[in-house]
């Protein structure tokens, strides 16, 4: 069995699976929307996890990242793929509170669960805890975590649907 | 190992892999562009084959199907996936001759090989031979043929990139 | 001289200029962004005014209305056309505060002045004052006010650029 | 009365009306589609004329120019604006014959009349007569001719709908 070797078009950022990957860090969240309990990465073992980090006032997230996450959620079977949103606010903190996020998720009809990344213990550090743990460069960031909890892809910015669909299906096809 | 179970969004036509599939019929062509020899399906055994049937004056082919075939060609490694175009003219025959097709392929910068489907032996039948053999309903039609030459998907009309990337990668991941 | 008679395509809502129009109601705002003073409609007499009413968490405003208002601002000369935004919050009030709006305008790089519509004197009425005065049905709403302060067009929802550019130019071309 | 002064966005080519303009050259055509007689520019005196020059195998014409011409035809009243297509073949002559053009116009549902520009009297010159007379640089080219038959705008390549709608309405609003 061979995984999909995905070639990178010149005009797009590289998008290929890390053959092994490090264990994906756990999530540190402060509340959740769209689900009545805290979602832990370990709860999702056995599924491919698509972790979509965004800010509600980030234009690229609103125009590209979140609609793509919705398409992933609508395309793949829930038994194979879990789509999880993470609100990683690292700027304009007073403008993107959970109250505002809740209205945003309602208006944009986001169907998958969204956790709020926990603020740093250091009050002077604007970067929230999970964003820091994953070393995300900004929003939108997309992370693919395999059935065994390993971080196999981490992309910042726009990713094409065709390559992303291929990457997710390759992880689904892997033996546990 | 499990293949991707692709859920169908309500607004799109079903797109899922046939678990076994019948042997894909051979191609009957009359000339080729973009390559200096006739391409037979049997030459491509071992690769996943994306067969894209189109007409040069079909708006949905020009706006959706051909750009998507170009993206597939640019995204997947040539060792894994062969993209092949088939010009299946079933109407306006005098308007879509090989001379016109050649200029079209040049202007639209089509990079993959394109064969011209052979006219029916029955001069009164407008449907060309390969189109008939596959039972295509019209253009654009997209067919996915696995490494063993079996027809695993046959779609008429628009298909979403995400589901299509997943279907191709699932075929790539299958054991020979 | 004849104004442009704009025909309505079957798939779009009617978009044509009221030949006379009633005087546009004054604006009642509580603060402004992108400008250091309150903008009154009377200050703009002699220019064509494009009043764009929106909510920062309204998807159709973010995807269609605001980008269109930006294009109007970038296309027409400031001496001819004044583009003015109005934040008419009528739902999710706690989520769309001026603090959130300020970050939104920064992130979406809105270049024209935006006023915050004043809340109703009746605390039980969610509709703000100017929205009520104009009888707006929702967001996005687009109003065209002529050089003499008369309301010549009032559209709710999406309007095509071609017809809108024609309507604005027709108002510019009118004698004062 | 002042005409619309249209500012040029940094990312788009200049698009503004020539205040006077030279008389638009007559058209030299060899056949017409979508109408049962030859259309002369002089027949259209009193209307604003939108002349859209294209080639059926030019991707920018198919993706941008022709859909825009269709929108103009659907938006403005026939008594104000005449949209006329001109097939100005200057390359791949054998591929873009009238037979192919007719099927193209049918498939793309072009609703306005289209004339075929006459080949040059000099058989070695690939540029057809009307294209030469107007000094067009390529396809798509868009020309706006006022009610008095003067050429007021001549653009090569993509033009934005908003500015184009404004330019057409400005010409409509001019006194005869």
């Amino acid at each position: 069995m061979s995984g999909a070797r995905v070639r990178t078009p010149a005009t797009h950022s590289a998008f290929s699976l890390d053959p092994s990957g490090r264990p994906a860090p756990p999530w540190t969240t402060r509340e959740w929307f769209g689900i009545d309990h805290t979602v832990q990465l370990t709860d999702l073992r056995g599924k491919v996890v698509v972790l979509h980090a965004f800010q509600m006032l980030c234009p690229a997230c609103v125009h590209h990242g979140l609609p793509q996450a919705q398409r992933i959620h609508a395309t793949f079977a829930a038994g194979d793929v879990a789509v999880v949103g993470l609100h990683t606010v690292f700027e304009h903190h007073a403008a993107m509170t959970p109250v505002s996020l809740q209205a945003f998720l309602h208006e944009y009809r986001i169907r998958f669960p969204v956790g709020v990344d926990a603020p740093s213990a250091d009050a002077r550090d604007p970067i929230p805890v999970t964003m820091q743990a994953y070393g995300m460069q900004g929003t939108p960031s997309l992370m693919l975590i395999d059935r065994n909890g390993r971080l196999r892809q981490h992309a910042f910015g726009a990713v094409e649907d065709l390559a992303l669909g291929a990457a997710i299906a390759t992880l689904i096809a892997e033996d546990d």
Side-chain angles (χ1 to χ4, degrees), chain A:
Chain A
M1 200 207 77
S2 79
R5 278 165 283 157
V6 175
R7 211 198 292 161
T8 306
T11 52
H12 293 88
S13 44
F15 195 78
S16 59
L17 291 171
D18 183 331
S20 54
R22 61 172 171 124
W27 305 334
T28 307
T29 53
R30 135 180 148 173
E31 69 187 288
W32 285 81
F33 293 101
I35 198 165
D36 60 3
H37 61 275
T38 293
V39 181
Q40 302 284 2
L41 182 51
T42 47
D43 301 341
L44 304 171
R45 202 54 44 89
K47 295 188 183 187
V48 173
V49 177
V50 177
L51 180 63
H52 178 68
F54 71 101
Q55 294 184 105
M56 59 172 280
L57 296 184
C58 150
C61 301
V62 169
H63 289 304
H64 180 80
L66 283 163
Q68 185 175 61
Q70 299 259 60
R71 287 194 298 276
I72 297 170
H73 185 63
T75 299
F76 291 94
D80 284 331
V81 174
V83 177
V84 176
L86 188 66
H87 198 226
T88 53
V89 179
F90 63 91
E91 58 187 345
H92 308 300
H93 292 79
M96 294 189 270
T97 61
V99 167
S100 292
L101 177 63
Q102 184 166 29
F104 172 87
L105 297 174
H106 175 81
E107 289 301 312
Y108 281 85
R109 301 178 189 203
I110 303 297
R111 306 289 189 212
F112 47 83
V114 172
V116 177
D117 198 0
S120 172
D122 175 354
R124 291 159 311 177
D125 183 353
I127 313 293
V129 176
T130 313
M131 188 176 190
Q132 193 97 60
Y134 277 76
M136 296 178 205
Q137 294 174 262
T139 53
S141 279
L142 187 80
M143 283 135 292
L144 299 184
I145 300 166
D146 70 17
R147 296 179 184 283
N148 299 310
R150 303 188 78 87
L151 183 58
R152 301 290 296 281
Q153 194 159 91
H154 182 158
F156 171 47
V159 172
E160 288 208 327
D161 271 23
L162 195 68
L164 183 53
I168 293 170
T170 301
L171 293 180
I172 292 172
E174 286 182 354
D175 294 302
D176 291 317

